[in-house]
């Protein structure tokens, strides 16, 4: 009800015709029980010698990655719902069951979108219109890591939708598009992601470590940490060269939060 997930290797606009898993039906021995559908796909990509072969290896696991994206985003939807991102608050659902808000706005997601590499994008129109998410492969190692598999990237993108809808109301979801407001959106998305990851046992948190295969363990300048020797960012950091874009400023905002 809240996600349409499918492959989009060719960057097609007619998303409803793109490939998605159909699952396997398991018929129960008791004929009075409704058959269940199982979506179980191993994710075991192997290294390849060329980028072309590496991409083909990643694409061969498309059923697993679409299923994983669907699962992670469903879990995030339910978690956000418990904390107030409901139908009346303009959440993403195709049907609202008479609970307020405009319906018909589930998230349309392109898994393994073929237009670019090493990124992810999310667009949130006003309530009642479908949001769109584009997830990509990362071509910096073999086999190509798939951003759809890394929960942190998925939750970060969905958290963009969360903050855009809640900051200035369901009819003005474009208020976090650029500048300082866009930086706040990036910071909120990182903070939400690290909060979901956190447990009773404290640890430092990285963003995009698996997908990017980054030597420092994060696609950001620093891991998120309470230890200033690990993450020295403060509000004063914004005076330094390089801290002018939304992602760099967003790191500082997330650290402050």
């Amino acid at each position: 009800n809240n996600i349409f997930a499918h492959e989009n290797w060719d960057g097609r606009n007619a998303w409803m015709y793109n490939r998605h898993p159909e699952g396997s039906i398991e018929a129960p021995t008791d004929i009075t029980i409704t058959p269940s559908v199982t979506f179980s796909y191993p994710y075991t990509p192997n290294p390849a010698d060329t980028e072309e072969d590496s991409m083909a290896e990643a694409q061969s696991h498309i059923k697993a990655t679409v299923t994983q994206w669907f699962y992670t985003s469903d879990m995030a939807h339910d978690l956000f719902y418990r904390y107030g991102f409901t139908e009346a608050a303009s959440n993403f659902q195709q049907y609202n069951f008479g609970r307020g808000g405009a319906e018909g706005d589930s998230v349309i997601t392109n898994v393994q979108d073929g237009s670019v590499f090493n990124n992810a994008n999310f667009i949130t129109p006003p309530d009642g219109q479908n949001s769109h998410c584009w997830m990509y492969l990362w071509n910096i190692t073999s086999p190509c890591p798939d951003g759809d598999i890394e929960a942190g990237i998925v939750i970060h993108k969905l958290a963009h939708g969360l903050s855009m809808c809640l900051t200035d109301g369901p009819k003005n979801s474009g208020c976090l598009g650029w500048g300082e407001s866009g930086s706040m959106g990036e910071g909120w998305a990182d903070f939400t992601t690290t909060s979901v990851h956190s447990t009773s046992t404290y640890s430092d948190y990285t963003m995009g470590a698996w997908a990017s295969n980054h030597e420092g363990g994060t696609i950001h300048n620093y891991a998120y940490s309470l230890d200033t020797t690990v993450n020295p960012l403060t509000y004063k950091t914004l005076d330094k060269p390089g801290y002018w874009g939304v992602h760099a400023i967003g790191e500082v905002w997330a650290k402050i939060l």
Side-chain angles (χ1 to χ4, degrees):
N1 187 38
N2 56 291
I3 295 291
F4 292 122
H6 53 270
E7 62 83 11
N8 197 46
W9 297 329
D10 300 326
R12 298 185 295 269
N13 291 325
W15 59 270
M16 65 287 296
Y17 300 116
N18 291 358
R19 183 182 293 105
H20 60 272
E22 296 181 353
S24 57
I25 298 177
E26 296 184 359
T29 56
D30 187 344
I31 61 174
T32 64
I33 300 176
T34 303
S36 61
V37 180
T38 300
F39 295 84
S40 179
Y41 306 103
Y43 183 76
T44 55
N46 297 308
D49 295 329
T50 67
E51 181 174 306
E52 181 179 359
D53 290 342
S54 184
M55 287 184 59
E57 180 68 17
Q59 291 175 348
S60 70
H61 291 80
I62 188 62
K63 291 183 178 180
T65 56
V66 172
T67 301
Q68 184 61 47
W69 163 269
F70 190 87
Y71 169 80
T72 305
S73 54
D74 269 355
M75 293 292 287
H77 168 274
D78 293 351
L79 178 63
F80 294 168
Y81 196 101
R82 293 184 63 182
Y83 283 90
F85 193 39
T86 61
E87 294 90 348
S90 70
N91 71 350
F92 308 122
Q93 291 185 183
Q94 201 66 12
Y95 304 102
N96 285 1
F97 310 107
R99 297 170 183 164
E103 57 185 20
D105 53 11
S106 54
V107 179
I108 298 172
T109 303
N110 292 355
V111 174
Q112 291 190 4
D113 190 278
S115 55
V116 300
F117 292 103
N118 309 335
N119 203 351
N121 301 107
F122 198 97
I123 292 179
T124 308
D127 194 24
Q129 302 177 39
N130 293 107
S131 292
H132 289 257
C133 184
W134 292 264
M135 301 292 292
Y136 309 109
L137 293 173
W138 294 63
N139 65 344
I140 54 180
T141 187
S142 179
C144 291
D146 191 333
D148 302 280
I149 295 294
E150 186 159 350
I153 296 177
V154 176
I155 296 170
H156 176 98
K157 292 294 113 181
L158 294 170
H160 273 308
L162 171 71
S163 62
M164 289 177 185
C165 289
L166 295 183
T167 299
D168 207 14
K171 298 302 181 183
N172 188 25
S173 58
C175 61
L176 299 176
W178 60 281
E180 291 184 354
S181 62
S183 302
M184 293 176 70
E186 291 295 338
W188 282 326
D190 276 5
F191 176 76
T192 301
T193 302
T194 54
S195 297
V196 172
H197 281 170
S198 63
T199 65
S200 58
T201 302
Y202 174 80
S203 65
D204 297 339
Y205 299 102
T206 60
M207 295 295 298
W210 177 77
S212 66
N213 195 37
H214 197 279
E215 182 178 352
T218 177
I219 56 176
H220 290 333
N221 293 302
Y222 304 98
Y224 287 117
S225 174
L226 298 177
D227 186 343
T228 57
T229 64
V230 176
N231 188 326
L233 296 177
T234 66
Y235 194 65
K236 181 68 175 176
T237 305
L238 298 181
D239 291 335
K240 295 182 178 181
Y243 280 88
W244 56 270
V246 294
H247 293 94
I249 299 175
E251 284 187 58
V252 177
W253 178 228
K255 170 68 182 305
I256 292 172
L257 293 174

